[in-house]
Amino acid sequence: MNNHNRVAVSVLVLVGLFSASCSSVNNSKSLSINVVKSRQSPTVSGLGTIQPVGDVHVLAGPMGQYGGAPRIKTILVKEGDRVSKNQTLVIFDNSAEFASERSRIAVSITSKKIEIDLLRAQINRFEYLTKAGAYPMADLEEKKVRLAGFYAQLRELEGTLRTYDERILPGTVIRAPISAVALKINNRVGERVHQSGVIEIGNIDRMQAVLDIDEGDIELIRTGQAVTVNSENGAFRESLQGSVSSIGLIVKGKKRLSVDPALDSDSEERVIEVKVMLDPKSSQRTRQLTGVKVVGVIAVSQ
């Protein structure tokens, strides 16, 4: 083989090696891309709790002067009882005292109105007599001044009564702001009010799961996506079904905790609250499970 042929063969060999190398690289890139795609999960999960649809109302008791609080006299409901809007739930030991004082003020208002009516009738009669010259003008003017004083006293009494109705008497009882169910009672009769509130109520006709979703996954979440909810600690066995009803607008911090306390991190996990409306069957199943911890798995591939 002459030198020319040797050069040609060498070139062909190099070209073949380069093509094989390029093919290997392309196959490697294709494999890498496929691996990345295969690692993408069709679901996103988060921890949370079962809650009524709508807020749980924590009803606090009154604070007295100098930061003190009255004692609980009567609790009129039990946990699990249904309550109506404006129904009295708790009565405090200051209720009788303030109710008696309010009654006294109401009686005074009635008496003052009677005095005003009588004095006005007198003034009307004596105005006619004064014009006829049978009654002194000075005496008539005196009666009119007394009448003005009666009206001022009436306004003061009515203002005091409004204060009792709007500020004082509400501090002697706790009434339900909505029609709901008594979920938790934090106090007993004879105790002073706890800072956590006396009673918690909520509407449990419809239930939801409130999940904390990592901020890095929130772009995958859409309303309407199907969600499977399971108990974290075995409070219920079957899986619950629902769908994403709302996505929170605020990122909040949540401390990372490990099973091993020695591995706990002080860093915060950034999460967004996602609410999952449970279907009617699942909602019925969890009506008595407010606050139970759950794990929700959201199908994001839809």
Side-chain angles (χ1 to χ4, degrees):
M1 182 181 297
N2 56 32
N3 291 336
H4 179 76
N5 289 337
R6 286 194 184 99
V7 172
V9 171
S10 297
V11 170
L12 289 174
V13 170
L14 290 173
V15 170
L17 290 174
F18 178 76
S19 298
S21 176
C22 290
S23 176
S24 176
V25 170
N26 289 335
N27 289 337
S28 175
K29 287 183 178 179
S30 176
L31 178 60
S32 175
I33 292 173
N34 290 335
V35 168
V36 171
K37 287 184 177 180
S38 67
R39 288 177 181 173
Q40 289 183 350
S41 172
T43 63
V44 169
S45 61
L47 298 175
T49 57
I50 297 294
Q51 299 290 338
V53 173
D55 295 332
V56 173
H57 294 252
V58 180
L59 308 180
M63 294 300 295
Q65 291 181 342
Y66 311 111
R71 295 184 183 275
I72 294 174
K73 180 181 179 181
T74 309
I75 298 176
L76 300 174
V77 294
K78 303 184 299 295
E79 291 182 357
D81 285 354
R82 284 194 169 272
V83 300
S84 302
K85 184 176 181 179
N86 294 324
Q87 178 181 337
T88 300
L89 308 179
V90 179
I91 300 175
F92 295 96
D93 63 0
N94 60 358
S95 60
E97 174 188 353
F98 287 125
S100 176
E101 180 63 15
R102 185 196 184 280
S103 296
R104 186 193 66 77
I105 296 170
V107 169
S108 297
I109 288 175
T110 300
S111 298
K112 190 58 64 178
K113 286 181 177 179
I114 292 174
E115 288 181 325
I116 288 173
D117 288 342
L118 291 173
L119 186 55
R120 285 178 62 183
Q122 287 182 10
I123 291 173
N124 289 336
R125 288 199 306 272
F126 284 110
E127 279 185 337
Y128 174 78
L129 294 174
T130 300
K131 289 178 181 179
Y135 193 80
M137 179 64 72
D139 289 350
L140 178 62
E141 292 300 326
E142 180 185 352
K143 291 183 182 297
K144 289 183 177 180
V145 170
R146 286 177 58 199
L147 180 62
F150 283 176
Y151 274 118
Q153 293 169 12
L154 178 62
R155 287 193 296 270
E156 183 178 353
L157 288 169
E158 290 175 337
T160 302
L161 188 66
R162 282 195 299 271
T163 298
Y164 266 77
D165 289 342
E166 296 172 3
R167 299 182 182 180
I168 297 178
L169 289 183
T172 66
V173 298
I174 292 179
R175 289 189 173 88
I178 60 170
S179 296
V181 171
L183 302 175
K184 187 178 180 182
I185 297 174
N186 299 319
N187 285 91
R188 293 179 294 181
V189 171
E191 293 181 340
R192 297 192 187 277
V193 178
H194 289 174
Q195 289 184 348
S196 57
V198 178
I199 186 169
E200 300 176 23
I201 67 172
N203 188 341
I204 60 173
D205 291 336
R206 288 302 305 270
M207 302 296 287
Q208 64 184 349
V210 182
L211 306 178
D212 287 335
I213 301 299
D214 187 275
E215 66 175 343
D217 295 326
I218 202 66
E219 66 175 352
L220 302 174
I221 308 301
R222 301 287 185 274
T223 56
Q225 290 172 331
V227 185
T228 300
V229 178
N230 291 287
S231 171
E232 185 182 20
N233 299 316
F236 52 88
R237 294 182 180 180
E238 68 274 22
S239 296
L240 307 177
Q241 304 300 320
S243 60
V244 175
S245 58
S246 68
I247 302 168
L249 301 176
I250 300 175
V251 179
K252 61 181 181 178
K254 184 178 180 182
K255 186 176 180 180
R256 290 192 178 96
L257 297 178
S258 168
V259 176
D260 184 355
L263 299 178
D264 282 355
S265 171
D266 289 332
S267 62
E268 282 191 336
E269 181 180 8
R270 307 294 290 174
V271 296
I272 295 176
E273 190 175 85
V274 172
K275 293 182 178 180
V276 176
M277 179 73 73
L278 299 177
D279 65 23
K281 180 180 178 181
S282 299
S283 183
Q284 180 72 19
R285 175 68 183 82
T286 56
R287 288 179 61 187
Q288 305 299 326
L289 298 177
T290 296
V292 165
K293 294 181 179 180
V294 294
V295 179
V297 181
I298 305 173
V300 299
S301 59
Q302 296 181 353

